[in-house]
Amino acid sequence: MSHALPAPCPDEDVVWRLPETGSGHQVSLLVLPHAGGNAHAYASWRDALPSEVRMLIGQYPGRGARFAEPLPTTMADLAGPVVHALPQDIDNLVILGHSMGALVAFEVARALTAAGRPPRALVASACRAPFLPNPAKVHPERLTDDELVAAIKERGGTEDGVLDEPELREIVLPSLRADFALDDDYRHEGPVRSLSCPVTVIGGREDPIVPVSALGRWSGVTDGPCSTATLPGGHFYFQQQDERFFALLQEVLDRAATAPADRGALV
């Protein structure tokens, strides 16, 4: 994946930079949304994070200010612009992705590592390892709009009000179809162990999409340590376990903020 692709629109539209509440950040957290998700869905996390954490959120094509852009067909369409749009002062960067976003996070981390600026940590939430086939394909190309909406509601994570309102549904369904088609087919090719940073994997114990037994396979992507943690709940477990989830995330952020610097030039 190239990390030198031109940004399709202004950087601030590709990577949201939420207002900072303190005098300066010690660590940056980049959050990459799930299939069909958008940056707005994670903006409330700002309130759960301490002031010394700068929060960044990726926004994918086909939504928000990027609504008019072509819909993604490859993981590079999601990850490449994010890498390009990141602030230059990204020492102490932690990358977190949920569900499909964890695969995007892996590709972003891989590009930064290849550029000599590895992240301090990667957090993969409720997702298979990138070298594994998708065990729970949606097959959006086979589904009517109503069937796709039903499948999305079963997974959770998308407000039913959006999917139940015909005009809103018409707006969001194209990006939903594109994301799930991409997620269905993505499987990393090439050297798997391409990261050097620690990896933390978190999942829901009752997740029907990604079973707990699959979480440990993420150890194959890094030369660094890999740890796993599970919380009660399904695919969007953190919606019911927010305090415990943010406690786990804070441990990762604290370690990243105090880790020895590994500086290089982002190219």
Side-chain angles (χ1 to χ4, degrees):
M1 183 191 70
S2 172
H3 48 262
L5 294 176
C9 63
D11 289 354
E12 60 268 23
D13 293 337
V14 179
V15 175
W16 285 20
R17 307 181 193 189
L18 271 60
E20 297 181 44
T21 57
S23 58
H25 61 272
Q26 297 179 6
V27 62
S28 296
L29 173 66
L30 171 64
V31 177
L32 295 162
H34 56 283
N38 57 52
H40 178 76
Y42 293 85
S44 63
W45 285 21
R46 172 67 275 175
D47 296 334
L49 296 170
S51 60
E52 61 267 21
V53 176
R54 174 174 59 176
M55 186 173 176
L56 312 169
I57 315 176
Q59 181 77 298
Y60 301 147
R63 59 221 85 185
R66 305 184 70 190
F67 180 78
E69 290 186 45
L71 293 171
T73 58
T74 69
M75 202 61 70
D77 293 337
L78 300 179
V82 170
V83 173
H84 181 98
L86 284 172
Q88 290 300 306
D89 57 334
I90 55 168
D91 295 329
N92 294 359
L93 175 68
V94 173
I95 306 175
L96 180 149
H98 178 68
S99 195
M100 182 195 75
L103 303 176
V104 184
F106 167 73
E107 291 290 357
V108 170
R110 194 166 68 89
L112 291 175
T113 300
R117 293 295 293 274
R120 293 298 174 87
L122 172 67
V123 181
S125 171
C127 187
R128 70 191 187 275
F131 52 85
L132 297 177
N134 190 334
K137 293 185 177 184
V138 175
H139 296 293
E141 73 281 359
R142 303 179 187 175
L143 303 180
T144 66
D145 287 352
D146 288 342
E147 290 170 338
L148 180 59
V149 166
I152 294 168
K153 285 184 177 181
E154 186 176 356
R155 287 181 173 230
T158 301
E159 295 182 10
D160 288 352
V162 173
L163 298 175
D164 291 337
E165 173 58 43
E167 292 184 0
L168 293 176
R169 188 171 86 162
E170 185 176 348
I171 292 172
V172 302
L173 275 182
S175 59
L176 286 167
R177 286 188 178 278
D179 286 0
F180 280 111
L182 197 163
D183 188 32
D184 276 0
D185 294 338
Y186 172 81
R187 189 174 183 180
H188 176 68
E189 302 292 342
V192 174
R193 197 176 299 276
S194 50
L195 304 183
S196 57
C197 65
V199 174
T200 298
V201 191
I202 311 174
R205 292 173 193 160
E206 294 78 45
D207 186 352
I209 308 301
V210 183
V212 170
S213 60
L215 299 178
R217 298 294 300 277
W218 276 89
S219 62
V221 307
T222 184
D223 288 326
C226 180
S227 61
T228 62
T230 59
L231 295 174
H235 197 54
F236 285 83
Y237 62 90
F238 55 80
Q239 293 177 338
Q240 291 76 42
Q241 303 291 332
D242 56 340
E243 289 188 9
R244 297 174 67 180
F245 169 74
F246 283 111
L248 289 171
L249 178 57
Q250 189 61 53
E251 292 178 7
V252 177
L253 294 169
D254 289 344
R255 287 194 296 269
T258 58
D262 182 15
R263 301 178 184 271
L266 180 60
V267 295

